[in-house]
Amino acid sequence: MSVSFELQDELQALQDIPNYDIPNEQDPSSHDPGPLLQQAVGAIAHSSEEITDPEIFDIFRSLLKHSDAVAGPYMSKMLDALLSAFGAQIDAAIRDSKEEDQQIVMAHKLPLEMYAFLVNWFVGAAEKVKAMGEEDAPPAPVKARRGRGGKASTSRAAAAAAKKAEQWTWIDQIPVTLELICKALKLKTHRIWVTSPERDAFITCLTRPAYHVAESEQYMKIQNVRMHVYKVICLAVKHHGHTLAAQINIMQSLQYYEHLSEPMAECLSILAKEFDHAQLGDEILREIAGKSFSAQDTKGPRAFSRFLVRFSEESPRSVLKQISLLIGHLDSESYPMRMAIVEVIGSLIRELATSEDMTSRTNGSNQASKQLDGLFELLLSRTLDLSSYVRSKVFTTLSKMLDLPLRLPEQRLRITRAAVDTLEDKASTVRKAAVSILVKLILTHPYGEMYGGDLNLEKWEERYKTWKDKLEEMEGGIGKAVERDQDDKEEIDSNVDEEDGDEDEDTEMEGTDVNDDADASSHSPKPQKRKASRKSTVDVTAIVSEQEALAALETNEILAMGLRKKYCTEALDFVRTLEGGMVLLTQLLGSTNKAEVLESMEFFRVASEYQLASAEKGIKRMLHLIWHKDNSSTSEDGKELKGVRSRLLECYRMLYFDPLPDMEPKQQVNRIAKNMIELTYEATLAELTSLEEMMRIMMEDGQIHYDVINKLWQVYSAPQVLSRSQRRGAIIILGMLALSKRTIISEKVDTLLKIGLGPFGKADLTLARYTCLALQRLNGSAKKVKGSLLDKSLRMEMDNPIFRKLQNTIEHPCRSKDWFCMAEQAINTIYALGEHPDELCNNLVKNLTRRAFAKRQNAEEPPFEPNTDTMEVDQEMEPPEPASHAPSSTHISTQQSSTSGEKDLGDVFHLSQLLFVVGHVAIKHIVFLELVEREWKRQKDEKQLAEKLAAGGSPNRANKETEELDQVAGNAEDEIGERIAAVRETELLYGEQSLLKLYGPLLVHVCGSPHKFKNRTLRAAATLSFSKFLCVSSQFCDQHHHLLFKILETSRDPNIRSNIVIALGDVAVSFSNIIDENSNELYKGLSDGDLVVKKNTLMVLTHLILNGMIKVKGQLGEMAKCVEDEEPRIADLAKLFFTELSTKDNAIYNNLPDVISHLSTGDHAVEEEIFKSTMRYIFSFIEKATENIVEKLCQRFRLSEDPRQWRDIAFCLSLLPFKSERSVKKLIEGLQFYRDKLHEEGVYDRFSEILSKARSNKSANKPDTELNEFESILDEHRRQGEEDQAFEKRVEGKKAAAKRKATRRCELYV
């Protein structure tokens, strides 16, 4: 008996399984399903046609309906039986399909549909069995993956089968099931199912298991399962008209299953490549192109974007056909879709660039080139996208294009320009991507084939000029050659005409001979031979062909030269574009984003290797990153970032210190030493400080070989003539390395004294200065801990040769201004190393005093020494005879007066030297006294500890007290500190036995008499020493600090003013109350015309204010002015100050009213636009207590009458966020203060901005009703104010008219 079965109806009914009706339904939960299953399995095993038996079919349907009650082994048995019978039925249908009788073939329709239905149902039911199996036997799934395979031996067949049955899992059966479905899809369905709906229902029933399996992310991770799913879909689409249904299913999969984005793209790619069916992919692309995505939707765009990217990678040609539709998504609100189209365009460019049309230069290359240009233009236009993610993705995509074999020089130049322009992008990720692509552009640039790859601008300009001149010369030569050729052609033509005339005559003669005599034919060849030999004298054809060959050769040469000129032009454009971005790239080294800094460092490393001229500045700027703290390593995009400091050391090693291949060891050492020395050339103090830290770290890590150190010593002590900068560089580097290991210097002290403090040092004072710095390293580099009593410094006896050499160097007669820097370091060395430095300095000051005030004699000192900076090489010279007793008559400048004779004049330079030394000795002696105080306290603590031990104290306690020596000096008696303070306060400058006491009045006299002492060097030295004296004693400072402020105000020398500003900072550290009272004078430096004075003032004030040494008393407005200074360094320093100040408690909030008043009104007011930009920056630090600021600003309206002030106050109000209800209410309550100012256009506009800002607030307590009322009140008062203004104008007009009439009447009466 056959069952009535309609596949479409059954599939529809299967949507509601609990209500699915089965005529002979069996409930396996009430009794064991084993016998039933055995009956059904036996039937279909006997004949696959038995499935049409209603009883057998209903057994399978019952078991599937109640699959949650069926055990795994039974499900496994059922699946094996169904698949086996279904396979047999398929084989039979394939065999019978070869028969011509249609009825035989159609007889398989019902069994095939029933088997397909059951397999489809089983796939859905198998999931429940799997879940149940996991609950019953947790270990089963682990072993199940291992074991469905062939049986190794017949002896274990039964055991293996039993184990397999117990551990059955659906995941192992999926490939087998899908493989059978693929087999079913090879049927000729058009012969079995005549109508399309029936055939479509069968195909849907077969493909639904594949889509169901695809919905599981776990299954799709398995390669075998994934490929079978693809095969089912592809076969159904290719052979059974499943295109529309597949399109619907794939679009739904993309929308609801995010993990299917890339698998569906792979499936469509396989369908197009292996099954030659690209229509489905085209249809899906068109449908996606027609969709629209909102900015709020995140899941959908992400899935579709991943699909598009993967499909463009797998089948770029299919996407290329639809790109005109897809690019509409570049304007989509959803940025993931815009990012996807960017990546798609990148895949298309890659496809076009590697196509045969472009590589083989076929006829289609022009079309491909146009497409490439269009796609590049689209890609580059997205560098202006609103989303930083899209902009960053553009550069990531373009970076991949640079690896293509096709060079694309024009596109490379456009990419370079776009990347340089993007260096100013506000998003750090975009800037990083731009820097990254610039590095890639340099590494892959196409301009290295002819000249080795360097990108030096000067070299390329020279190459361009060479080819340009050659090309012009050749073109000029060809022009002259063309004229000569034309003359030659005319001559040849005339000769040819003559020969043609002779030829004609001969022909005529030949004709007459023929007519007269019939035998004349035997003579006819003779004239031809004669003529031919005559023609050979001027072979026209040969000449013409030779000229054509020469012309072709010259044309090829011109073409080649033109190409080389173009090649150089493109290279120049590329190099100039890179050079144009160097300033911005240098600024990025100071970024707060670690990844961006690392990328910029890599750029400068690569640029330096390729010899870009401006890279050197970036390499020097990188040096300051040595102070970067690499405490924590951050990660970005899953990548761990190297520390900035370690990356800096790596870059410098690669550039300067790593050995080069194929170089002898000796040459390696010479190269590394040379690079080290060259790093000091033209280096600023900041650069040398950073270089010192780097050298110290490298020496500590053992990265500098001793051969290099020995080479540096050889350069320093070389007897032959060397450039001064070379010898200086060697001792600078050696001094830096000695910070880590003092033996580098201690083993070569004799060399230092012989060279640096010997003839070479006296000839080159800068060399002597750096030698003194190196000698200071003998004292070690242990950092002093604040409050610690330990002192690890090394002290020497004063009879050491070092001190004698230092004194001789200072006292050596000299006229160079470099002497002052050298003398400063020499005195520093004396105080750093000497056990009793005051003794030596005492003699030094006395000797210099005698020389300065000695009577002038006729004997002359050695001639004036030129500035050492202008000397390029050493001068071999012996030290001159001491002549300190004979002042020079060629002194720099002497003060002459009408009342004084020649005998009253002294040498001004000697006096400058004396005053400089006196001042520096005074300041160094303060530091020395602090060291004495610490030493006394340490000795006292040790004495107390020894007494306790002697008294029987325990060792543990003694050890504990020993550790306490490193603690704060408060352990010692305060009387030591008071005693040292008294010495400093009363004895140094006022003691009866004090040598410095004599020079205080002298300094005051010189500094206070600018008309007497006009020499700039003297005044600079005197002012500097006077400033140092002020730091010694509060009594001296209190008496004379006004003189320093007076000099700051009146001096025309910016160096003096700059020194005074720095000195005032030091004075403020010593005696803060004195400077605090006169801080207004210090703020005047911010208005100084000299940049250095202004910068120093700003830095000093920043230091004093942030450290609490002076109080801010309304002068913060002067600091705020610097935020918008024209000089970027000043503006950056000011912004840094306010950033740091914002970390202090309410510091900016408390001073905000004063800043607004200072910038808005009075003599200090700035332009309105500058005021706005400044306040916009300062208000960015205001986060709390905004309602109080609103109240204070509203009250300011009451006291102001100037419309400019109204606009400024309104602007400041508009900068506040108005996020809270209280701040809005405060604004409304203050209406009485500003309602009469609303007629001013700028004021009303700002309040309109405030209203829109308050309304955009998403707070639940937003007072909408009050805001609406407030708006109507504002409009009303504005209108009323405008009417009042108009009325006042009319009244004023009438008054003026009446006044004019009265004036005319008076004139008439008179």
Side-chain angles (χ1 to χ4, degrees):
M1 175 185 170
S2 180
V3 65
S4 65
F5 181 81
E6 288 292 335
L7 181 59
Q8 184 63 44
D9 295 340
E10 295 297 324
L11 288 173
Q12 190 67 32
L14 201 60
Q15 302 297 321
D16 186 13
I17 293 179
N19 297 324
Y20 183 79
D21 182 44
I22 302 174
N24 302 312
E25 185 172 350
Q26 304 285 340
D27 188 0
S29 60
S30 60
H31 55 272
D32 184 17
L36 283 174
L37 181 61
Q38 185 63 37
Q39 177 189 348
V41 168
I44 62 173
H46 179 263
S47 171
S48 61
E49 301 288 342
E50 290 296 322
I51 195 67
T52 57
D53 183 350
E55 184 179 351
I56 301 299
F57 186 57
D58 287 349
I59 289 174
F60 283 115
R61 288 199 290 181
S62 298
L63 292 173
L64 289 172
K65 182 176 180 180
H66 302 283
S67 60
D68 51 351
V70 179
Y74 293 139
M75 292 295 286
S76 175
K77 186 175 181 180
M78 181 179 11
L79 178 63
D80 288 343
L82 285 174
L83 293 181
S84 178
F86 192 15
Q89 188 64 31
I90 292 169
D91 292 336
I94 292 174
R95 281 196 309 271
D96 292 344
S97 64
K98 299 175 183 177
E99 300 290 334
E100 295 182 0
D101 190 353
Q102 182 74 12
Q103 294 300 321
I104 295 175
V105 181
M106 292 185 65
H108 296 285
K109 173 187 171 185
L110 185 59
L112 286 172
E113 286 184 345
M114 296 174 81
Y115 280 118
F117 175 76
L118 290 174
V119 169
N120 174 36
W121 194 348
F122 188 94
V123 171
E127 294 293 323
K128 300 176 185 176
V129 177
K130 177 187 175 186
M132 189 175 171
E134 286 175 353
E135 291 175 8
D136 295 343
V142 178
K143 295 182 180 179
R145 297 175 185 268
R146 187 184 303 171
R148 184 176 176 86
K151 301 172 180 59
S153 63
T154 54
S155 61
R156 291 183 292 173
K163 184 178 180 182
K164 178 182 71 176
E166 290 173 3
Q167 298 175 354
W168 177 82
T169 56
W170 164 235
I171 195 168
D172 296 324
Q173 310 297 327
I174 293 175
V176 181
T177 307
L178 293 178
E179 183 61 38
L180 185 65
I181 292 174
C182 291
K183 186 177 179 181
L185 287 169
K186 294 178 182 178
L187 289 166
K188 295 180 179 179
T189 53
H190 63 280
R191 294 199 64 193
I192 302 174
W193 290 272
V194 180
T195 63
S196 295
E198 291 178 336
R199 185 167 64 249
D200 290 345
F202 178 70
I203 298 301
T204 301
C205 187
L206 286 178
T207 55
R208 187 174 289 175
Y211 292 119
H212 185 78
V213 168
E215 291 172 4
S216 169
E217 186 175 359
Q218 179 187 358
Y219 295 158
M220 291 302 285
K221 288 179 180 179
I222 302 171
Q223 172 76 8
N224 196 18
V225 173
R226 192 166 65 247
M227 297 311 296
H228 275 92
V229 170
Y230 297 164
K231 191 174 180 181
V232 170
I233 297 172
C234 292
L235 286 170
V237 171
K238 176 67 178 176
H239 301 295
H240 304 286
H242 185 61
T243 304
L244 182 59
Q247 181 180 344
I248 294 170
N249 277 304
I250 289 174
M251 291 299 292
Q252 288 178 345
S253 299
L254 293 176
Q255 195 149 5
Y256 298 111
Y257 302 101
E258 199 171 341
H259 70 278
L260 286 180
S261 299
E262 294 178 354
M264 288 297 111
E266 291 177 8
C267 179
L268 291 176
S269 176
I270 292 172
L271 180 63
K273 292 176 182 177
E274 299 180 13
F275 292 85
D276 193 25
H277 191 283
Q279 292 88 337
L280 178 59
D282 294 344
E283 288 298 326
I284 288 178
L285 288 176
R286 279 194 284 270
E287 187 172 349
I288 292 175
K291 291 178 73 69
S292 60
F293 302 94
S294 66
Q296 287 73 33
D297 187 7
T298 55
K299 187 177 179 182
R302 194 182 304 119
F304 282 103
S305 64
R306 288 170 59 192
F307 168 80
L308 287 174
V309 171
R310 187 56 178 267
F311 192 44
S312 68
E313 292 172 353
E314 298 286 339
S315 298
R317 288 288 170 179
S318 299
V319 179
L320 185 60
K321 291 187 289 185
Q322 309 297 331
I323 190 62
S324 59
L325 299 174
L326 290 171
I327 57 175
H329 282 299
L330 283 176
D331 298 322
S332 171
E333 292 181 10
S334 174
Y335 75 85
M337 285 305 295
R338 301 203 299 275
M339 290 173 66
I341 299 302
V342 165
E343 289 196 72
V344 166
I345 292 173
S347 299
L348 300 185
I349 290 174
R350 194 181 304 110
E351 172 66 18
L352 287 173
T354 54
S355 64
E356 292 184 4
D357 290 340
M358 293 298 294
T359 54
S360 60
R361 296 293 178 187
T362 60
N363 293 331
S365 62
N366 288 335
Q367 180 65 23
S369 295
K370 289 180 181 178
Q371 285 181 311
L372 264 180
D373 286 342
L375 291 173
F376 264 109
E377 195 62 41
L378 268 177
L379 208 52
L380 289 169
S381 67
R382 301 321 299 177
T383 57
L384 303 176
D385 196 280
L386 290 175
S387 169
S388 62
Y389 297 108
V390 180
R391 299 196 299 274
S392 182
K393 179 63 70 175
V394 169
F395 286 110
T396 307
T397 305
L398 286 170
S399 183
K400 296 175 183 176
M401 304 299 102
L402 300 177
D403 293 324
L404 295 173
L406 204 63
R407 289 302 185 182
L408 305 170
E410 293 181 6
Q411 284 82 0
R412 280 174 167 273
L413 287 173
R414 283 153 62 192
I415 293 171
T416 309
R417 294 189 191 102
V420 170
D421 291 342
T422 310
L423 293 174
E424 293 185 280
D425 197 283
K426 64 181 180 181
S428 62
T429 52
V430 184
R431 296 195 300 268
K432 175 187 173 293
V435 178
S436 179
I437 200 172
L438 286 174
V439 173
K440 193 76 169 286
L441 281 162
I442 295 175
L443 290 173
T444 60
H445 78 83
Y447 309 112
E449 297 171 0
M450 290 176 60
Y451 300 107
D454 69 87
L455 294 174
N456 188 276
L457 184 60
E458 292 182 1
K459 290 182 181 178
W460 277 106
E461 286 176 343
E462 186 178 340
R463 291 162 189 163
Y464 171 77
K465 188 175 183 302
T466 301
W467 289 115
K468 181 183 175 185
D469 293 344
K470 284 185 179 180
L471 186 61
E472 290 175 353
E473 182 182 348
M474 181 163 280
E475 286 175 344
I478 287 175
K480 294 176 182 177
V482 168
E483 294 176 4
R484 289 197 301 271
D485 289 346
Q486 289 176 353
D487 295 340
D488 293 342
K489 283 181 181 178
E490 289 175 2
E491 293 177 8
I492 291 168
D493 291 342
S494 63
N495 293 333
V496 171
D497 291 340
E498 291 174 3
E499 290 175 11
D500 289 343
D502 296 339
E503 208 174 313
D504 294 339
E505 291 174 4
D506 293 337
T507 308
E508 288 173 3
M509 290 295 291
E510 187 179 339
T512 56
D513 291 339
V514 169
N515 293 332
D516 293 344
D517 189 355
D519 295 331
S521 59
S522 60
H523 302 286
S524 60
K526 291 179 182 179
Q528 288 176 2
K529 287 181 183 177
R530 180 179 59 79
K531 289 161 193 162
S533 62
R534 185 178 173 191
K535 282 173 112 179
S536 66
T537 58
V538 182
D539 192 342
V540 178
T541 307
I543 290 173
V544 171
S545 62
E546 185 180 351
Q547 288 173 345
E548 289 176 353
L550 287 171
L553 182 62
E554 289 175 346
T555 303
N556 289 336
E557 287 185 10
I558 290 173
L559 184 61
M561 287 188 181
L563 289 173
R564 287 176 177 175
K565 180 186 171 186
K566 184 183 178 185
Y567 180 82
C568 293
T569 303
E570 290 173 351
L572 273 175
D573 286 346
F574 178 63
V575 174
R576 283 170 179 158
T577 306
L578 288 174
E579 294 281 0
M582 288 293 187
V583 175
L584 295 172
L585 284 158
T586 306
Q587 291 175 1
L588 292 184
L589 289 171
S591 171
T592 55
N593 183 277
K594 188 175 183 180
E596 189 178 4
V597 173
L598 291 173
E599 203 63 52
S600 302
M601 292 167 70
E602 177 65 11
F603 172 84
F604 281 112
R605 184 191 69 78
V606 172
S608 179
E609 288 181 352
Y610 281 81
Q611 300 177 27
L612 278 158
S614 301
E616 196 63 33
K617 294 179 182 176
I619 294 292
K620 282 192 172 184
R621 178 72 180 272
M622 275 169 57
L623 201 53
H624 300 313
L625 297 174
I626 194 67
W627 306 104
H628 200 280
K629 294 180 180 178
D630 290 335
N631 295 332
S632 59
S633 58
T634 58
S635 61
E636 185 180 274
D637 299 334
K639 296 179 181 178
E640 189 172 350
L641 298 176
K642 187 182 283 289
V644 172
R645 182 192 290 184
S646 56
R647 180 59 185 156
L648 171 69
L649 292 170
E650 186 180 318
C651 286
Y652 263 78
R653 276 199 306 271
M654 294 171 72
L655 287 173
Y656 300 114
F657 309 134
D658 280 352
L660 295 179
D662 304 327
M663 188 180 280
E664 293 295 326
K666 186 176 181 181
Q667 294 175 331
Q668 298 279 18
V669 169
N670 292 344
R671 171 184 163 272
I672 294 171
K674 179 174 176 288
N675 287 340
M676 284 183 170
I677 291 170
E678 287 178 350
L679 286 174
T680 65
Y681 291 176
E682 298 179 1
T684 63
L685 179 61
E687 289 165 357
L688 287 175
T689 306
S690 299
L691 181 62
E692 181 180 80
E693 178 68 8
M694 188 174 76
M695 288 295 168
R696 183 189 66 78
I697 293 172
M698 291 179 69
M699 191 65 196
E700 279 183 356
D701 294 344
Q703 297 176 20
I704 297 176
H705 199 274
Y706 272 94
D707 289 346
V708 176
I709 297 172
N710 292 333
K711 185 63 186 177
L712 290 169
W713 277 116
Q714 288 176 21
V715 172
Y716 175 69
S717 60
Q720 64 268 28
V721 176
L722 294 176
S723 66
R724 291 192 167 185
S725 55
Q726 203 170 344
R727 205 182 294 268
R728 292 173 188 170
I731 191 57
I732 291 171
I733 296 295
L734 287 168
M736 292 174 178
L737 299 176
L739 275 173
S740 175
K741 196 168 186 180
R742 74 168 80 179
T743 54
I744 294 174
I745 295 296
S746 62
E747 294 172 355
K748 298 279 188 177
V749 172
D750 292 341
T751 306
L752 291 172
L753 300 182
K754 179 182 175 183
I755 302 296
L757 301 183
F760 287 105
K762 290 172 182 175
D764 180 6
L765 294 178
T766 305
L767 179 67
R769 171 189 164 204
Y770 286 117
T771 301
C772 293
L773 277 168
L775 284 169
Q776 291 171 33
R777 305 294 184 243
L778 292 172
N779 204 0
S781 59
K783 292 184 178 179
K784 303 293 188 295
V785 179
K786 187 176 181 181
S788 173
L789 297 178
L790 282 182
D791 185 7
K792 297 180 181 179
S793 60
L794 174 71
R795 294 282 170 180
M796 302 178 181
E797 295 296 330
M798 299 312 296
D799 57 357
N800 194 293
I802 294 176
F803 302 115
R804 187 176 66 254
K805 279 283 188 180
L806 287 170
Q807 184 175 357
N808 290 340
T809 305
I810 296 173
E811 294 179 353
H812 178 69
C814 174
R815 291 290 174 184
S816 172
K817 290 186 180 180
D818 289 337
W819 179 90
F820 295 99
C821 296
M822 182 276 299
E824 178 185 8
Q825 293 305 328
I827 294 170
N828 289 347
T829 309
I830 293 169
Y831 272 92
L833 303 178
E835 187 72 34
H836 301 288
D838 51 325
E839 295 177 0
L840 190 149
C841 290
N842 189 34
N843 295 330
L844 178 64
V845 170
K846 289 178 180 178
N847 291 340
L848 291 177
T849 305
R850 292 190 193 99
R851 185 171 71 180
F853 292 100
K855 292 184 178 181
R856 293 185 64 223
Q857 299 176 6
N858 294 328
E860 293 188 355
E861 284 187 357
F864 174 75
E865 293 182 15
N867 194 335
T868 55
D869 292 340
T870 63
M871 303 295 289
E872 296 181 357
V873 297
D874 292 329
Q875 291 180 352
E876 292 288 347
M877 57 180 295
E878 293 297 324
E881 292 295 324
S884 58
H885 61 281
S888 170
S889 61
T890 57
H891 52 79
I892 295 174
S893 173
T894 55
Q895 274 63 48
Q896 298 183 3
S897 65
S898 56
T899 60
S900 62
E902 185 72 20
K903 59 182 181 180
D904 296 327
L905 293 180
D907 192 305
V908 71
F909 198 81
H910 288 166
L911 182 59
S912 302
Q913 290 175 316
L914 168 64
L915 296 182
F916 177 84
V917 169
V918 165
H920 199 59
V921 166
I923 201 75
K924 292 304 294 183
H925 211 70
I926 296 173
V927 179
F928 183 69
L929 284 175
E930 291 174 357
L931 296 176
V932 170
E933 177 183 356
R934 185 169 61 182
E935 178 64 18
W936 283 359
K937 288 179 179 179
R938 187 183 65 81
Q939 290 177 3
K940 184 169 184 177
D941 273 2
E942 286 182 352
K943 183 179 179 182
Q944 289 176 351
L945 180 60
E947 290 174 354
K948 289 177 182 176
L949 285 172
S954 65
N956 291 335
R957 186 178 176 187
N959 290 336
K960 184 178 178 182
E961 292 183 5
T962 303
E963 292 174 3
E964 290 176 356
L965 288 176
D966 291 336
Q967 303 302 316
V968 182
N971 296 336
E973 297 288 343
D974 288 339
E975 63 183 53
I976 296 177
E978 293 173 0
R979 188 174 170 189
I980 294 295
V983 170
R984 174 177 169 177
E985 182 67 31
T986 59
E987 291 188 21
L988 276 182
L989 298 184
Y990 295 100
E992 291 298 328
Q993 303 298 321
S994 174
L995 183 63
L996 296 179
K997 174 187 176 183
L998 305 173
Y999 297 96
L1002 175 61
L1003 286 170
V1004 172
H1005 176 66
V1006 173
C1007 293
S1009 308
H1011 299 294
K1012 273 188 183 180
F1013 305 95
K1014 298 179 180 178
N1015 181 267
R1016 292 181 64 182
T1017 305
L1018 175 62
R1019 289 195 57 73
T1023 307
L1024 188 59
S1025 294
F1026 176 62
S1027 304
K1028 292 175 180 178
F1029 266 54
L1030 290 177
C1031 297
V1032 175
S1033 166
S1034 60
Q1035 182 181 348
F1036 187 86
C1037 183
D1038 192 39
Q1039 290 173 354
H1040 303 292
H1041 69 274
H1042 292 292
L1043 176 58
L1044 196 63
F1045 285 115
K1046 187 66 177 176
I1047 299 171
L1048 176 63
E1049 182 181 352
T1050 59
S1051 177
R1052 296 180 183 177
D1053 189 345
N1055 291 330
I1056 292 177
R1057 298 200 302 274
S1058 182
N1059 285 340
I1060 290 174
V1061 166
I1062 297 171
L1064 284 172
D1066 294 333
V1067 175
V1069 173
S1070 301
F1071 315 112
S1072 57
N1073 57 330
I1074 296 176
I1075 298 301
D1076 201 16
E1077 295 169 0
N1078 300 272
S1079 58
N1080 284 335
E1081 300 295 328
L1082 191 54
Y1083 280 93
K1084 290 180 181 178
L1086 294 174
S1087 305
D1088 198 287
D1090 186 77
L1091 176 63
V1092 177
V1093 178
K1094 194 172 187 177
K1095 181 169 76 74
N1096 287 346
T1097 304
L1098 184 56
M1099 292 177 70
V1100 168
L1101 284 170
T1102 298
H1103 169 69
L1104 296 177
I1105 292 172
L1106 294 180
N1107 289 299
M1109 295 176 186
I1110 62 171
K1111 298 175 183 177
V1112 180
K1113 301 174 183 176
Q1115 307 101 329
L1116 209 59
E1118 286 297 319
M1119 302 285 279
K1121 279 185 184 179
C1122 297
V1123 170
E1124 290 299 319
D1125 196 271
E1126 296 176 355
E1127 175 60 38
R1129 287 179 293 176
I1130 300 292
D1132 291 342
L1133 281 171
K1135 289 177 180 177
L1136 179 63
F1137 165 74
F1138 280 103
T1139 304
E1140 293 297 323
L1141 189 64
S1142 65
T1143 60
K1144 308 291 182 183
D1145 292 338
N1146 296 328
I1148 294 181
Y1149 170 80
N1150 293 336
N1151 290 279
L1152 190 61
D1154 293 331
V1155 173
I1156 295 173
S1157 300
H1158 192 88
L1159 299 182
S1160 180
T1161 61
D1163 298 334
H1164 305 286
V1166 296
E1167 295 179 7
E1168 200 161 351
E1169 288 303 316
I1170 295 177
F1171 175 86
K1172 290 178 181 178
S1173 56
T1174 304
M1175 297 315 300
R1176 193 178 286 114
Y1177 178 78
I1178 292 176
F1179 267 81
S1180 65
F1181 300 108
I1182 302 296
E1183 297 176 356
K1184 301 177 182 178
T1186 54
E1187 56 271 9
N1188 295 337
I1189 297 176
V1190 172
E1191 184 178 8
K1192 290 178 181 178
L1193 289 175
C1194 287
Q1195 290 175 357
R1196 279 179 171 264
F1197 278 110
R1198 179 182 56 183
L1199 304 174
S1200 60
E1201 298 295 333
D1202 184 9
R1204 157 74 195 277
Q1205 282 185 264
W1206 304 342
R1207 293 193 299 271
D1208 288 346
I1209 296 170
F1211 175 77
C1212 292
L1213 280 169
S1214 70
L1215 294 174
L1216 296 169
F1218 289 95
K1219 291 181 180 179
S1220 67
E1221 183 183 1
R1222 292 175 60 191
S1223 58
V1224 175
K1225 286 185 176 179
K1226 287 288 183 183
L1227 182 69
I1228 297 173
E1229 289 171 3
L1231 178 65
Q1232 55 181 325
F1233 302 124
Y1234 55 81
R1235 61 187 175 188
D1236 57 333
K1237 280 83 175 176
L1238 291 170
H1239 62 81
E1240 184 70 26
E1241 186 176 355
V1243 176
Y1244 181 79
D1245 291 342
R1246 296 303 173 192
F1247 277 96
S1248 300
E1249 289 178 21
I1250 294 170
L1251 271 173
S1252 60
K1253 190 182 291 186
R1255 282 174 173 158
S1256 64
N1257 182 22
K1258 297 179 181 179
S1259 172
N1261 300 325
K1262 183 170 62 174
D1264 290 323
T1265 307
E1266 294 180 13
L1267 286 174
N1268 293 332
E1269 292 177 1
F1270 182 54
E1271 184 179 19
S1272 61
I1273 293 171
L1274 286 178
D1275 289 335
E1276 180 183 347
H1277 282 291
R1278 180 195 183 191
R1279 194 165 45 251
Q1280 183 178 348
E1282 288 175 347
E1283 291 174 359
D1284 291 345
Q1285 285 291 107
F1287 178 72
E1288 287 181 9
K1289 287 182 180 179
R1290 288 198 301 271
V1291 170
E1292 290 293 330
K1294 289 180 179 179
K1295 282 183 178 179
K1299 190 174 182 180
R1300 285 195 298 271
K1301 286 181 182 178
T1303 304
R1304 282 198 295 270
R1305 285 176 185 170
C1306 292
E1307 289 174 352
L1308 289 173
Y1309 287 131
V1310 172

